[in-house]
Amino acid sequence: MGWRRVFLGLCAAALAVWLYLTMQQPAGQQDSIRIGATYMTMNNPFYSVIDEELRLMIESQGDILLTRDPALDQEKQNAQIHELLASDIDLLVINPVDFQQIRPALEEARDAGVPVVIVDSQVSDPSLVTCTIASDNYGAGVLCAEHLMRTRDSAHIVLLEHAAAQSAVDRIQGFCDTLAEHPAYEIVGQADCEGQLELAMPALRKLLEEQPAIDVVMALNDPSALGAMAALEEYGTLENTLVYGVDGAPEAKNMIYEGVMTATVAQSPIQIGQTTAQVAYQILEGEPYDKVITVPVKLITEENVNQFGSDGWQ
């Protein structure tokens, strides 16, 4: 029986040491901060880059990031947020699938006392969120329209949209508002492709059948612009059609370099991810922070694409 007494003695000693160290440890270091994140879809590399930057900064502090992918399903995103809140997260990062239907999840987070940071979009009721971090999406549309007017005197334009995403709505609105007083630039068709390459391609095929005179495509993002180019190539009209996107994705920059795509407006998912992490800690530590942060955007064309590089994001 002696070995049992020795074993129990060692356990008691280890427990005493653990309790002592725990009591000596500052309260803020006893538990890791837990941050939840859910983006409209991880099928878009843009969100993967944001998440990678966010994770890098959070885990370097010894804290935890829990990431979820609702795959463009708002009900699923709301359920994911419910699950994240139930797992005792300290802060929630959201890129909403639908800027209006996200409301029940935002109300649940508010009731749970969990601050919310919205990234790359807005929501219908900003009072429900702690901070919004997004690119100058309206300005991105303006830049595309201004380039179009410098390039051509008239155009037959189709729009590839994503009505559920406020960021996409703002881009298309900026584009259309800039052209509104110039009747030579005519919007002849539009389609919602949810920002997905595989939906943009058949959507543009259908538009080309209805409006064969299309000579400009304004796409809400680069994946949908790439899908549009695939459809235009099938129809043999890519060479004479201007294609605009938004993101600054490596694939889009390569297409611009090769003279296939006209322009993209570069966002910076790297900067958005890093800024989100910084603001998250400012909020949790009670430090001052800006409630709305707008990240600048830049037009990339054949003339300046070499300045941005083609093998990575900004």
Side-chain angles (χ1 to χ4, degrees):
M1 299 294 291
W3 66 269
R4 291 186 179 178
R5 285 196 294 271
V6 172
F7 175 74
L8 291 173
L10 290 172
C11 288
L15 179 60
V17 170
W18 180 83
L19 287 171
Y20 174 79
L21 291 174
T22 301
M23 292 176 66
Q24 299 304 310
Q25 191 177 32
Q29 296 181 9
Q30 290 183 22
D31 297 305
S32 297
I33 291 172
R34 294 165 62 85
I35 295 176
T38 170
Y39 310 89
M40 67 168 67
T41 174
M42 298 303 282
N43 187 39
N44 186 338
F46 181 85
Y47 298 116
S48 296
V49 175
I50 292 177
D51 193 65
E52 287 167 7
E53 292 298 322
L54 187 59
R55 183 175 303 280
L56 182 65
M57 296 188 71
I58 289 171
E59 293 185 350
S60 71
Q61 301 298 315
D63 296 323
I64 298 168
L65 178 65
L66 306 171
T67 300
R68 301 292 182 266
D69 177 7
L72 293 171
D73 184 332
Q74 186 59 65
E75 288 187 12
K76 185 175 181 180
Q77 187 172 53
N78 287 351
Q80 289 174 344
I81 291 170
H82 177 78
E83 174 258 321
L84 287 167
L85 292 170
S87 67
D88 294 325
I89 57 171
D90 299 288
L91 182 139
L92 184 59
V93 175
I94 304 175
N95 169 250
V97 174
D98 188 302
F99 71 101
Q100 294 178 315
Q101 294 181 27
I102 190 70
R103 185 183 182 95
L106 297 178
E107 291 174 340
E108 184 177 357
R110 177 199 60 194
D111 295 343
V114 174
V116 173
V117 177
I118 298 294
V119 295
D120 190 47
S121 190
Q122 292 83 27
V123 296
S124 57
D125 186 354
S127 70
L128 292 171
V129 306
T130 309
C131 178
T132 299
I133 302 169
S135 301
D136 181 5
N137 289 300
Y138 186 91
V142 171
L143 288 174
C144 291
E146 289 176 343
H147 183 271
L148 169 58
M149 289 191 291
R150 291 195 302 269
T151 306
R152 289 191 177 172
D153 295 329
S154 63
H156 295 87
I157 307 161
V158 294
L159 308 173
L160 293 179
E161 305 170 314
H162 185 185
Q166 186 63 53
S167 56
V169 172
D170 289 345
R171 294 168 195 171
I172 298 299
Q173 193 65 53
F175 181 83
C176 292
D177 285 352
T178 306
L179 299 177
E181 296 182 4
H182 303 275
Y185 302 92
E186 183 183 0
I187 309 296
V188 298
Q190 56 201 92
D192 196 310
C193 65
E194 299 183 358
Q196 302 298 296
L197 186 154
E198 62 272 18
L199 298 179
M201 188 175 176
L204 191 60
R205 281 198 199 109
K206 187 172 185 299
L207 288 168
L208 286 165
E209 291 170 2
E210 297 169 354
Q211 297 284 349
I214 292 167
D215 55 14
V216 175
V217 176
M218 173 60 196
L220 71 116
N221 64 3
D222 285 347
S224 54
L226 295 173
M229 286 189 288
L232 290 165
E233 188 171 23
E234 281 186 358
Y235 274 73
T237 57
L238 178 58
E239 185 176 350
N240 298 316
T241 305
L242 303 185
V243 179
Y244 293 91
V246 178
D247 276 340
E251 297 84 357
K253 288 186 288 188
N254 276 302
M255 292 294 100
I256 293 170
Y257 182 79
E258 293 174 8
V260 179
M261 184 173 173
T262 308
T264 181
V265 177
Q267 304 188 81
S268 178
I270 294 174
Q271 184 178 349
I272 291 174
Q274 293 174 350
T275 302
T276 301
Q278 292 166 1
V279 170
Y281 283 109
Q282 288 171 339
I283 292 169
L284 293 172
E285 293 168 8
E287 298 178 357
Y289 64 92
D290 293 325
K291 188 170 177 61
V292 177
I293 299 173
T294 301
V295 181
V297 294
K298 297 178 181 179
L299 183 73
I300 300 179
T301 66
E302 195 171 16
E303 287 73 28
N304 67 354
V305 66
N306 286 331
Q307 300 173 21
F308 292 86
S310 59
D311 57 351
W313 292 82
Q314 290 63 241

